[in-house]
Amino acid sequence: SQQGEEDPQALSIQEGENATMNCSYKTSINNLQWYRQNSGRGLVHLILIRSNEREKHSGRLRVTLDTSKKSSSLLITASRAADTASYFCATGGSNYQLIWGAGTKLIIKP
Amino acid sequence: ETGVTQTPRHLVMGMTNKKSLKCEQHLGHNAMYWYKQSAKKPLELMFVYSLEERVENNSVPSRFSPECPNSSHLFLHLHTLQPEDSALYLCASSFLVQDTEAFFGQGTRLTVV
């Protein structure tokens, strides 16, 4: 069943601009994770934020989590052409399963 | 390289064929997963194995049959598939603890003709 819903479904920006993607979910969570997928390939983990955290940084990535609104955002600063990919959020609950959204397709125009 | 290897990368099979997908992880993880990814849909969890025991089967048709002979290897046996089964099949592994990430293979692009 779908838990995370990413918004927007697709995003196209100029290189150097910032890209923001949002994820909403429905049930309580232990953590929220963001993954990246290059076309037709496997997913790569980017960042995990726990339910008691509000913000986390990793390089050019900034993730926020608002558990009261059941939402998260992923900000990629100073985008590069190589950031072109699909980005997925996944929520982790009390069991071992991750529940996924349908993803945001990000295109960085050179 | 993520430490999870899937073979083959591409597979075309007829509806009457039998084939198998293979996944191998070198990360010492104790849980392995099969996911199905169709266009514009969320990842669908098909099977979960923990310590070689199947712990989850999300109502997957019996034409998909998983096998986990040891903690490093996972197979997905396919028979009498339908065209709607065409998708990217992803294998992943992780430690079976909270707040841990999953590591994915590159996937097998399956086309059923």
Side-chain angles (χ1 to χ4, degrees):
Chain A
S1 60
Q2 182 175 348
Q3 164 83 310
E5 293 188 14
E6 287 93 341
D7 165 50
Q9 291 187 348
L11 179 62
S12 180
I13 61 173
Q14 290 295 136
E15 192 169 20
E17 294 180 341
N18 295 342
T20 300
M21 289 160 272
N22 303 296
C23 171
S24 59
Y25 57 92
K26 298 173 183 173
T27 63
S28 62
I29 62 172
N30 287 346
N31 66 73
L32 188 143
Q33 305 183 31
W34 286 91
Y35 288 77
R36 165 199 167 119
Q37 183 181 34
N38 285 30
S39 180
R41 300 175 72 85
L43 282 77
V44 176
H45 182 263
L46 295 176
I47 197 164
L48 180 152
I49 186 166
R50 294 181 174 81
S51 60
N52 61 354
E53 298 176 310
R54 292 296 167 258
E55 186 170 315
K56 204 161 185 180
H57 297 254
S58 177
R60 294 184 295 112
L61 305 181
R62 172 177 168 252
V63 169
T64 62
L65 180 63
D66 187 335
T67 52
S68 67
K69 295 181 179 179
K70 291 186 168 59
S71 68
S72 173
S73 68
L74 170 67
L75 169 67
I76 303 174
T77 60
S79 62
R80 305 168 182 169
D83 294 328
T84 294
S86 292
Y87 292 82
F88 295 85
C89 68
T91 54
S94 56
N95 61 15
Y96 38 78
Q97 285 195 36
L98 292 175
I99 305 178
W100 299 81
T104 292
K105 187 170 184 179
L106 175 65
I107 296 173
I108 309 297
K109 296 177 285 186
Chain B
E1 290 298 327
T2 62
V4 180
T5 304
Q6 286 185 246
T7 55
R9 290 293 309 279
H10 301 273
L11 179 61
V12 179
M13 60 185 289
M15 289 189 284
T16 58
N17 290 159
K18 291 184 179 180
K19 296 286 185 182
S20 295
L21 310 185
K22 179 182 176 182
C23 177
E24 186 173 356
Q25 59 101 357
H26 306 280
L27 301 168
H29 290 158
N30 55 4
M32 297 187 75
Y33 312 79
W34 279 117
Y35 284 93
K36 176 183 178 182
Q37 186 179 32
S38 304
K40 298 182 181 179
K41 292 176 67 176
L43 266 71
E44 301 172 48
L45 179 63
M46 301 175 71
F47 301 102
V48 181
Y49 275 83
S50 171
L51 299 173
E52 302 150 43
E53 295 286 328
R54 188 192 307 179
V55 297
E56 191 74 32
N57 175 358
N58 287 339
S59 302
V60 178
S62 59
R63 56 186 184 269
F64 296 91
S65 175
E67 178 189 2
C68 188
N70 56 60
S71 60
S72 299
H73 293 86
L74 185 65
F75 295 89
L76 187 63
H77 303 299
L78 316 171
H79 64 99
T80 59
L81 294 191
Q82 304 299 310
E84 60 264 29
D85 296 323
S86 299
L88 182 68
Y89 288 84
L90 292 163
C91 172
S93 69
S94 74
F95 292 111
L96 206 65
V97 295
Q98 288 187 15
D99 296 341
T100 187
E101 66 194 84
F103 289 76
F104 283 80
Q106 295 298 301
T108 295
R109 172 66 64 185
L110 174 66
T111 303
V112 181
V113 297

